[in-house]
Amino acid sequence: MAVQAFQKHEVIPDVLKTAPLKVAKVVYDSGVEVNLGAELTPTQVKNPPTVTWEANPEALYCLVLTDPDAPTRADPKWREWHHWIVANIPGCDVSKGDVFAEYVGAGPPEKTGLHRYVFVVYKQAGKLANPEYGRLKNNSTQHRNEFKTQLFAEKNGLGDPIAGNFFQAQYDDYVPQLYKQFTAKY
């Protein structure tokens, strides 16, 4: 089911070479749950979600949330714009992982249509370091565009994703509020 959804919505090949076989459960405090491409609003996903997957409590995992449709799906010249990266997660306790990039909710610009927001989980072979740019705060857009999930996975020896999920969103009235938090424009 996950494989077909990732292919249907072209997450394969836009973000990943291989679809995850398992679905990560992603639930927001607004009460919505991510469901393989269903449309949600930026207002519903403004706060970091709870993300869980089938995990070995003794293993470490990495979670990436990315938007491959920046600035638009028709013209993705900034593909990808990553919204969240947490590594060294013990089991599926994201709160105990190392945050490489703090969570930024969905913020598709006005009149850019639907954007895909893709959650990808990798099982790590060992602890990851973040030498490239340190911890990105949620008020920073630096180093977020032109991210490549597949390249990140290859550079860090992560292999194929073990779980994933995604939703779609388009501009709503919350987006201008989100943009105000940034100290650097994108």
Side-chain angles (χ1 to χ4, degrees), residues 17 31 45 57 59-60 64 73 88 96 106 133 137 140 144 148:
K17 290 180 187 172
V45 301
L60 295 175
V64 174
R73 191 162 179 182
N88 307 318
K96 291 185 178 169
Y133 42 76
K137 299 290 187 187
S140 174
R144 288 188 186 262
K148 302 285 184 254

Side-chain angles (χ1 to χ4, degrees), residues 33-106:
E33 186 171 334
V34 173
N35 187 15
L36 296 173
E39 187 174 346
L40 302 175
T41 69
T43 301
Q44 292 173 314
V45 301
K46 63 184 178 182
N47 297 320
T50 300
V51 184
T52 55
W53 57 89
E54 285 183 27
N56 173 346
E58 305 298 316
L60 295 175
Y61 296 86
C62 181
L63 170 66
V64 174
L65 170 60
T66 190
D67 170 4
D69 303 322
T72 69
R73 191 162 179 182
D75 181 25
K77 64 185 174 192
W78 299 330
R79 176 175 289 163
E80 302 159 34
W81 204 93
H82 75 272
H83 285 254
W84 198 22
I85 302 175
V86 185
N88 307 318
I89 302 167
C92 62
D93 190 347
V94 177
S95 69
K96 291 185 178 169
D98 294 330
V99 178
F100 288 3
E102 290 181 351
Y103 180 85
V104 174

